[in-house]
């Protein structure tokens, strides 16, 4: 498992950890049932506060990606299709927002966009 | 307490000058056949060792370090009394041995003299230790000299006026007085060290 | 959750005398959960050392309640589990490291001679050299070695790094991180080297003229502020600013991150920035003569 922390201050450290672990779970790099390093190990290795790693793990647990068992540690939660769906939905919405913002200056209409989307969805020229 | 005693034992290396003086005195008494002066020197000097140690510790702020260790304040104070007793007994033993060696026949006089000096040594320690605990080394030494001077002057007056005789009774009173003073002094020192803000 | 220490309403009063002004510390309410590192920062004379000394029982408090490792402070049996390094004092100068080890072996029930020798070697402290001949940095390392050589559960460090070079300090900070391996091991690090505190601490407390200005989780504290740059009159409008610095070409202010005005350049504030802006407040450059 690879985690890289940036100290530029734009994103809180715990959020960086949450998004990186989440990405690895979603991509399959971390499988269901895999043990995550303990909060203390993570804190020590990354040279950050254990309070922050704890906060990250709590957030991951809240979002359903991770399950903590007292005395044993934290493990990747069973792949929850609902979670993946929600995550993908979120990304689709973000992408759509970007498309709309980019389309306006190009003078593309909604019809044009639908046409283009159909092309991509069907994988052929319509 | 054992650790503190170990530390103080090691500190004795710093009293080389004192050891030399005593050795010189021992040699001179063999030469002269006189024991009294050397015995007095030996016992009084060894009596002051714990106080000198306190002075060194004061400069090094040892108390501040010692009280971060699992050592209680009463033990810190009490150890100096124990150590002082040890040095004094050693000095007295040395003086008695010397006396026996130089004047083979005068066993009783030597032992009596040394015993009396031992008691004086106890009294000196008992007076000095609390004063140094309370006032620090410099002022403590001054106060002690003042007090001992008063004591000596008082004795001279009492004996001179015949109210106090240097007799057999004194030989019994002295050890008891020394023991009482020592006990009171220890009690006082423990109280003083408990009130110390470092 | 185990508690490393807990100070409740602790006060210390030094009455004013002829040549010395009075000093009032507290009331302090400060506690640390087990397994964490607390950084205590503040100017010289703010009361950091006095606070540590009260925790160790070296100085009597005027009021309040102190608990260390769940027991009242001043209890010498608790000190068997405490490692303290205080500024400016060390073991007797006439002794050498080997003798100090022997002395401490007789004083600490849980002394580990092997650990002591290992730490002395690691810190490169010559066994036979008299401590009086050690440099300040070596003396600090000796005290630290002692703290690590028995069953310490709480380290109280007062300026324990000021004599060390940057490499040695970095190594020490790593050692402190290793030390807090579980809830039973905690550290209080009091230092004027704010960068060190920022690197290693979980909580930060700022002491100023005897008063505790804040005690926060370090990361949350750093996340909550921003240094904003802009024209002075714009920044002076920000009523929530903690402080402002002006120079000939503009001004910088410390503000809550949620209140950065749009359009202005901002960057994260370091711990030292937060401390300086908080303590110095608005600071206008004197015009050059």
């Amino acid at each position: 498992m690879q985690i890289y922390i940036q100290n530029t201050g734009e994103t809180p450290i715990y959020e960086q950890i949450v998004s990186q672990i989440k990405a690895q779970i979603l991509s399959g790099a971390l499988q269901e049932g895999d043990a995550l390093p303990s909060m203390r190990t993570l804190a020590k290795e990354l040279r950050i506060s254990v309070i922050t790693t704890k906060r990250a793990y709590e957030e991951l647990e809240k979002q359903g990606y991770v399950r903590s068992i007292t005395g044993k540690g934290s493990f990747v939660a069973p792949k929850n299709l609902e979670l993946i769906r929600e995550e993908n939905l979120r990304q689709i919405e973000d992408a759509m927002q970007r498309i709309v913002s980019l389309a306006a200056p190009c003078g593309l209409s909604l019809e044009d966009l639908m046409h283009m989307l159909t092309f991509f969805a069907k994988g052929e020229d319509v | 307490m054992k650790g503190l005693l170990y530390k103080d034992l090691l500190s004795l290396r710093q009293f080389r000058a004192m050891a030399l003086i005593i050795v010189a005195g021992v040699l001179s008494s063999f030469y002269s056949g006189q024991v009294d002066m050397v015995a007095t020197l030996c016992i009084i000097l060894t009596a002051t060792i714990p106080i000198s140690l306190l002075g060194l510790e004061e400069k090094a702020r040892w108390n501040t370090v010692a009280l971060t260790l699992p050592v209680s304040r009463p033990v810190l104070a009490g150890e100096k009394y124990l150590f002082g007793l040890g040095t004094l007994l050693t000095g007295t033993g040395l003086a008695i041995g010397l006396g026996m060696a130089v004047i083979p026949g005068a066993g009783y006089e030597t032992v009596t003299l040394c015993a009396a000096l031992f008691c004086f040594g106890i009294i000196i320690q008992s007076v000095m230790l609390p004063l140094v605990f309370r006032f620090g080394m410099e002022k403590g030494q001054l106060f002690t000299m003042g007090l001992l001077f008063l004591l000596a002057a008082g004795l001279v007056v009492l004996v001179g006026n015949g109210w106090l005789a240097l007799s057999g009774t004194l030989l019994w009173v002295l050890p008891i007085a020394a023991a009482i003073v020592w006990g009171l002094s220890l009690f006082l020192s423990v109280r003083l060290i408990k009130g110390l803000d470092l | 959750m185990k508690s490393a220490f807990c100070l409740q309403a602790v006060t210390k009063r030094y009455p004013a005398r002829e040549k010395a002004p009075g000093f009032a510390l507290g009331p302090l309410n400060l506690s640390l959960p087990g397994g964490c590192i607390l950084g205590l920062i503040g100017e010289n004379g703010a009361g950091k050392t006095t606070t540590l000394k009260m925790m160790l029982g070296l100085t009597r408090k005027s009021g309040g309640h102190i608990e260390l490792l769940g027991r009242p402070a001043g209890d010498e049996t608790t000190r068997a589990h405490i490692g303290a390094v205080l500024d400016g004092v060390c073991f007797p100068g006439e002794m050498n490291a080997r003798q100090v080890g022997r002395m401490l072996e007789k004083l600490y029930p849980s002394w580990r001679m092997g650990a002591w020798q290992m730490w002395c070697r690691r810190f490169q402290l010559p066994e036979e050299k008299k401590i009086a001949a050690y440099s300040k940095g070596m003396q600090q390392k000796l005290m630290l070695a002692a703290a690590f050589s028995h069953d310490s559960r709480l380290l109280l460090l007062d300026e324990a790094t000021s004599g060390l070079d940057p490499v040695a300090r970095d190594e020490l900070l790593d050692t402190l991180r290793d030390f807090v391996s579980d809830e039973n091991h905690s550290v209080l690090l009091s230092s004027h080297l704010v960068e060190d505190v920022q690197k290693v601490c979980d909580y930060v407390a700022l002491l100023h003229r005897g008063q505790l200005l804040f005690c926060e989780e370090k990361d949350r504290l750093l996340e909550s502020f921003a240094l904003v740059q802009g024209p002075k009159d714009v920044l002076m409008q920000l009523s929530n600013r903690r402080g402002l610095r002006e120079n000939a070409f503009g001004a910088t202010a410390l503000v809550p991150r949620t209140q950065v005005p749009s359009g202005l350049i901002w960057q994260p504030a370091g711990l030292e920035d937060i401390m300086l802006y908080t303590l110095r407040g608005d600071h206008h450059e004197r015009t050059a003569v």
Side-chain angles (χ1 to χ4, degrees), chain C residues 76-131:
Chain C
E76 75 269 8
T77 44
T78 316
R79 291 206 284 269
H81 298 294
I82 292 182
V85 177
L86 296 177
D87 194 19
V89 289
C90 193
F91 297 113
E94 287 304 306
M95 294 171 83
N96 61 33
R98 198 171 36 85
Q99 290 162 342
V100 169
R102 292 230 199 96
M103 173 181 77
L104 294 175
E105 182 180 37
K106 300 179 206 292
L107 290 172
Y108 281 110
S110 61
W111 184 254
R112 298 188 287 252
M113 193 56 92
W116 169 254
Q117 289 163 340
M118 188 272 289
W119 281 107
C120 287
R121 269 199 307 273
R122 198 152 138 187
F123 285 142
Q124 294 170 321
L125 301 170
E127 269 213 322
E128 304 293 324
K129 195 172 179 183
K130 286 210 166 108
I131 291 169

Side-chain angles (χ1 to χ4, degrees), chain A residues 8-9 40 44 47 49 51-52, chain C residues 35 174 178 180 202 219 257 268:
Chain A
T8 53
R40 282 197 181 271
K44 197 173 97 173
R47 293 176 166 202
S49 168
I51 296 174
T52 298
Chain C
D174 275 342
D178 286 339
V180 288
D202 301 305
D219 283 333
R257 208 179 278 195

Side-chain angles (χ1 to χ4, degrees), chain C residues 2-24:
Chain C
K2 295 212 175 138
S3 164
F5 60 78
C6 183
L7 279 73
Q8 286 174 322
V10 173
T11 55
K12 177 68 181 173
R13 304 249 174 283
Y14 286 113
R17 275 178 301 215
E18 268 181 29
K19 293 179 187 170
F23 177 72

Side-chain angles (χ1 to χ4, degrees), chain C residues 23 25 28 40 43-52 207 209-210:
Chain C
F23 177 72
L25 176 65
L28 294 181
L40 187 59
E43 312 137 298
N44 288 343
K48 306 194 299 287
T49 303
T50 307
T51 303
L52 251 100
L207 208 54
R209 293 199 196 150

